[in-house]
Amino acid sequence: MINLLAELKSRQGDRPLLALRLWVVALALLVVFAANVLNGALPLRLLDPRWLQGLIQVLLSQGFLPLIALALLQLAVVLDPKSSRLRRRRDRFSRLALAAALGFVLLIPLQLAASWGSLSQLASGQNQQRLQGLAVIGQLRQAISAATSHEDLARRLAALPIPQKGGSSPADLALPFPQRQRNLLEGLARSESQLNRLATAAAPIPWSALVASALAVIPTALALAGAFLVLGYGSRG
């Protein structure tokens, strides 16, 4: 960087000075891009699909910064073609631009994989909730089956480590206890059957969510990839 400044300052005319300014602006844009990406990537959570989705959004939203930086560097070489250091930097960044083009294309399958991972996590969480519900039903069934009276049932339910939604209504207490016990057990059986059906049912592939996730990434990713590809191939030599 110091050698480049010395070389450009040694040249006479406005073009070398403008080329120097363009290179400095390009370098500043690259620093801003790197800082934003680093801020979005930390702390690292490689196994978290939501972290990957967030990083992809940062790359897509900030991808224009290195693109503009490369264009400015190419313009700087046009303004001062005699600077060998500027040409070397242009060629180096042009090679990186080809890698960046491939990287932005790869963001599309990465976005699909991250979306699938998020949906899988959601389905896993729902299945865990169903299992917890079945465990609660088992505890309630045991307490209800062992109770011998309204008062005994109230004591057993209060001793369970689960949230209690209010107390018994006067209508429930007016029923003969065997009938109330039978009604409660039948209600638990219906709830248990519903949870078992949900747990064993094959979850459909969420095609609509995956398509929407891809469409949110594809246009920007392909546009940036194409732009980097054009600048990378067209600026060497």
Side-chain angles (χ1 to χ4, degrees):
M1 180 65 181
I2 296 177
N3 292 334
L4 177 61
L5 293 176
E7 177 186 344
L8 293 177
K9 286 182 178 180
S10 66
R11 298 183 183 278
Q12 300 297 323
D14 295 333
R15 284 176 173 263
L17 181 58
L18 181 56
L20 170 61
R21 291 173 176 172
L22 291 178
W23 162 243
V24 172
V25 172
L27 188 59
L29 291 176
L30 292 175
V31 171
V32 172
F33 173 75
N36 288 337
V37 172
L38 188 62
N39 183 62
L42 296 178
L44 294 177
R45 298 190 302 274
L46 299 179
L47 299 180
D48 187 352
R50 291 173 297 180
W51 172 85
L52 180 56
Q53 287 177 315
L55 181 59
I56 290 173
Q57 291 304 315
V58 171
L59 290 171
L60 292 177
S61 63
Q62 302 295 316
F64 69 95
L65 292 176
L67 188 63
I68 295 175
L70 179 57
L72 292 177
L73 181 56
Q74 292 183 15
L75 182 57
V77 174
V78 172
L79 291 173
D80 189 13
K82 294 181 180 180
S83 174
S84 60
R85 289 188 175 88
L86 275 179
R87 291 198 303 271
R88 285 196 300 269
R89 281 162 175 76
R90 179 203 59 187
D91 294 342
R92 186 180 303 118
F93 280 106
S94 296
R95 289 190 292 270
L96 292 175
L98 298 179
L102 177 60
F104 278 108
V105 172
L106 292 178
L107 290 183
I108 298 174
L110 282 178
Q111 173 71 9
L112 291 175
S115 299
W116 182 270
S118 294
L119 294 172
S120 298
Q121 281 188 349
L122 179 61
S124 177
Q126 291 174 343
N127 187 58
Q128 184 64 29
Q129 290 179 348
R130 286 192 289 267
L131 292 177
Q132 292 175 353
L134 290 173
V136 169
I137 288 175
Q139 291 177 318
L140 290 174
R141 177 183 289 111
Q142 184 177 1
I144 294 170
S145 300
T148 57
S149 65
H150 293 294
E151 294 77 9
D152 185 29
L153 176 60
R155 287 192 299 270
R156 291 179 181 273
L157 293 179
L160 293 178
I162 58 176
Q164 302 292 329
K165 296 183 178 180
S168 302
S169 66
D172 291 333
L173 295 176
L175 292 174
F177 180 73
Q179 182 179 349
R180 183 190 177 195
Q181 188 180 44
R182 184 169 55 254
N183 293 343
L184 290 173
L185 292 175
E186 290 175 353
L188 290 177
R190 288 191 297 268
S191 298
E192 184 179 39
S193 177
Q194 183 179 5
L195 288 175
N196 284 327
R197 285 197 304 270
L198 292 174
T200 56
I205 298 177
W207 292 114
S208 59
L210 292 176
V211 171
S213 175
L215 292 178
V217 169
I218 289 177
T220 304
L222 291 182
L224 289 171
F228 275 108
L229 186 63
V230 170
L231 290 180
Y233 269 122
S235 62
R236 294 179 299 173

